[in-house]
Amino acid sequence: MKKLLFYYICIVLVFVSCSKKKKEPRTTNNNLVELQREEMNFLPSDVLQLKSYYLSSPVETDSVHILVGYNYKEHALDCMDLLNKKISQIPLQIEGPNAITRLTGIFAYKKDSIWISDESESVFLVNHEGLTMKRIHVRDYLQEEEELIINTNHAMSTIHLYYNAAHQSLLCTVKDRSTSPVRFKVKEIFIEENKEAKTFDLLPSVVEPDISKGYANMSEPNVNFRDGYILYNYPIESHLYRANLTTGISEIYPADSEYTTNQAEKCKSKTDYSEWEKHGFENPHFFDLMYIPRYDMYARLHIGPIDFKEDENPEIIAHKRDLYLCLFDNKFNKIKEAKLPSNTFSPYTGWSQTDSGILLFVDKITDQDNSEDLELNIFHPIFINL
């Protein structure tokens, strides 16, 4: 019996060592990179665009510079041409067998091939006219206790949809409620219907193995993707995680901020929403890891804590919070951390990666200027002292 127990422990240790590799902390060298700020203004057009978009995606291919954002007021996709400063709109179907409800995710593969997910747990491929070319019922690939979680919410988490062109597959994040604590997975669903889906388990946070209890709204991971990898992290703490889609192995990288605390405290209440709201404001929130292809570099935004008073307007307080940008090289060495201009950008996940930088929507809520013009800033990394 003792021999069997010994062998079991050995097997567990080998499994853990193969599925998780934790890297040593590195020192930031802020002299390696500068941030160049590019400002963009879109003149008024026939499109009733938003001031900022909480859900957006750059077009991945075709060598075009277009950002696709969900216009929830028009139930349409707004296509922002970043070179010509023009906006066009793709209306989405609201009736019929392929009716699309409120969007949860966008992955703009090409101008004429945009993958979107909605609240019905379905993923659609739409063309430049908004017509549905393909519909995949993700629910058909899930177990009873599994739940699709593609979501972009500034108070909760940022979980992206992804299309892997090389595999002809969709990557979707799933919450598995059959275990305690709940587990998070990524399902790879192949467009070829007779091919079985693959499952990749995400590691729990190294700081808090069960983020579903005690952290109010921040109870799910952030999940993003790039070719061959799942990029994930947790809103409550600063580590970065990357899973290899070939081996399934995850690596963990320390990525502490020098500006804020690096772990959220637990919420005082499990049921009082006013305490949940306060908890969200008075703790840091780390957002998803983004990839900048031109420089083979990663970026992460996070927002700092701020004192919350119940008699203040939550929207104004949200805009007053400090926003920080961290840049990492392809080995996850942190090479830049900077505080971005205050009271300037939308705090409601109003940003996206581009081919060469990080794009943020300008939304100065306390300005006297009530213009609805669309204004963007892109922060490009510029290498120095190499």
Side-chain angles (χ1 to χ4, degrees):
M1 185 69 182
K2 287 182 179 179
K3 259 185 191 179
L4 285 174
L5 181 60
F6 173 76
Y7 289 138
Y8 174 76
I9 291 171
C10 288
I11 290 168
V12 169
L13 289 174
V14 168
F15 172 78
V16 170
S17 66
C18 290
S19 62
K20 176 174 68 174
K21 294 181 181 179
K22 187 171 180 179
K23 303 298 183 179
E24 293 301 317
R26 282 97 163 195
T27 303
T28 306
N29 186 348
N30 270 322
N31 294 321
L32 290 175
V33 173
E34 287 183 350
L35 291 174
Q36 183 181 76
R37 183 179 179 182
E38 179 184 2
E39 298 179 356
M40 292 186 182
N41 289 279
F42 287 72
L43 297 176
S45 66
D46 295 334
V47 173
L48 296 174
Q49 82 272 0
L50 302 179
K51 185 71 175 175
S52 64
Y53 295 78
Y54 72 91
L55 181 58
S56 61
S57 166
V59 171
E60 286 284 304
T61 56
D62 292 346
S63 299
V64 295
H65 298 269
I66 292 177
L67 183 73
V68 179
Y70 177 49
N71 187 331
Y72 65 92
K73 291 184 178 180
E74 298 287 308
H75 193 51
L77 298 176
D78 288 357
C79 301
M80 293 157 263
D81 186 328
L82 304 180
L83 290 181
N84 299 310
K85 314 299 187 296
K86 293 182 179 180
I87 304 176
S88 58
Q89 194 168 83
I90 301 173
L92 298 175
Q93 294 173 268
I94 57 175
E95 296 178 340
N98 289 318
I100 298 169
T101 63
R102 189 181 179 94
L103 298 197
T104 58
I106 304 174
F107 183 83
Y109 179 57
K110 296 182 180 180
K111 290 186 293 182
D112 200 41
S113 301
I114 301 173
W115 292 93
I116 57 177
S117 58
D118 74 354
E119 292 177 338
S120 71
E121 291 192 305
S122 292
V123 175
F124 304 80
L125 176 63
V126 299
N127 65 10
H128 67 285
E129 295 179 334
L131 299 177
T132 299
M133 313 304 291
K134 186 177 286 290
R135 178 175 184 171
I136 295 174
H137 298 273
V138 178
R139 182 72 253 171
D140 295 343
Y141 297 87
L142 305 182
Q143 301 298 318
E144 185 178 350
E145 295 296 320
E146 293 179 338
E147 170 192 351
L148 179 66
I149 49 170
I150 300 172
N151 184 44
T152 300
N153 186 306
H154 73 284
M156 297 172 61
S157 60
T158 305
I159 305 174
H160 293 273
L161 172 69
Y162 187 77
Y163 170 66
N164 187 326
H167 292 185
Q168 293 283 291
S169 63
L170 293 167
L171 292 165
C172 304
T173 306
V174 171
K175 180 189 288 187
D176 183 355
R177 298 181 182 276
S178 67
T179 63
S180 182
V182 299
R183 289 188 300 168
F184 299 98
K185 310 171 181 178
V186 167
K187 293 263 187 180
E188 184 172 20
I189 299 170
F190 296 93
I191 306 304
E192 186 182 331
E193 293 182 1
N194 61 352
K195 197 169 183 180
E196 189 175 346
K198 288 185 178 179
T199 300
F200 301 89
D201 291 324
L202 302 185
L203 294 176
S205 163
V206 293
V207 169
E208 175 54 68
D210 187 1
I211 64 165
S212 67
K213 295 179 180 177
Y215 290 95
N217 286 314
M218 294 188 282
S219 61
E220 295 174 351
N222 304 310
V223 185
N224 209 339
F225 303 90
R226 60 159 294 202
D227 289 346
Y229 294 100
I230 304 167
L231 311 174
Y232 62 108
N233 65 328
Y234 291 87
I236 65 164
E237 52 103 344
S238 61
H239 287 80
L240 306 176
Y241 305 72
R242 184 177 68 174
N244 187 305
L245 284 171
T246 302
T247 65
I249 294 174
S250 281
E251 295 180 323
I252 306 169
Y253 302 87
D256 283 358
S257 169
E258 297 169 14
Y259 287 90
T260 68
T261 56
N262 288 288
Q263 182 179 350
E265 296 180 358
K266 288 199 172 184
C267 185
K268 294 178 181 178
S269 173
K270 295 181 179 179
T271 55
D272 185 349
Y273 187 76
S274 64
E275 284 293 334
W276 283 36
E277 188 175 40
K278 183 178 180 181
H279 176 267
F281 280 110
E282 295 190 343
N283 285 278
H285 185 120
F286 294 89
F287 295 103
D288 60 301
L289 187 60
M290 297 175 280
Y291 181 64
I292 305 174
R294 184 179 298 182
Y295 302 111
D296 192 20
M297 180 185 293
Y298 297 91
R300 180 196 64 197
L301 289 163
H302 83 281
I303 203 162
I306 192 170
D307 289 337
F308 177 76
K309 296 178 182 177
E310 292 184 9
D311 58 347
E312 291 186 271
N313 184 330
E315 191 171 358
I316 292 177
I317 299 174
H319 279 76
K320 288 181 178 179
R321 296 180 73 175
D322 290 328
L323 186 63
Y324 303 94
L325 174 62
C326 286
L327 298 177
F328 306 88
D329 66 17
N330 60 7
K331 295 182 179 178
F332 292 95
N333 298 298
K334 190 168 71 165
I335 54 176
K336 184 71 176 180
E337 182 174 18
K339 179 180 174 295
L340 299 184
S342 301
N343 186 36
T344 302
F345 305 111
S346 169
Y348 304 119
T349 59
W351 49 76
S352 178
Q353 75 269 23
T354 70
D355 174 66
S356 61
I358 298 301
L359 178 151
L360 298 102
F361 293 100
V362 174
D363 187 8
K364 303 176 182 179
I365 190 172
T366 57
D367 272 8
Q368 297 301 315
D369 179 15
N370 293 319
S371 169
E372 290 301 315
D373 291 354
L374 182 62
E375 184 179 352
L376 313 174
N377 282 183
I378 301 179
F379 288 90
H380 302 278
I382 305 297
F383 288 89
I384 56 176
N385 296 336
L386 295 180

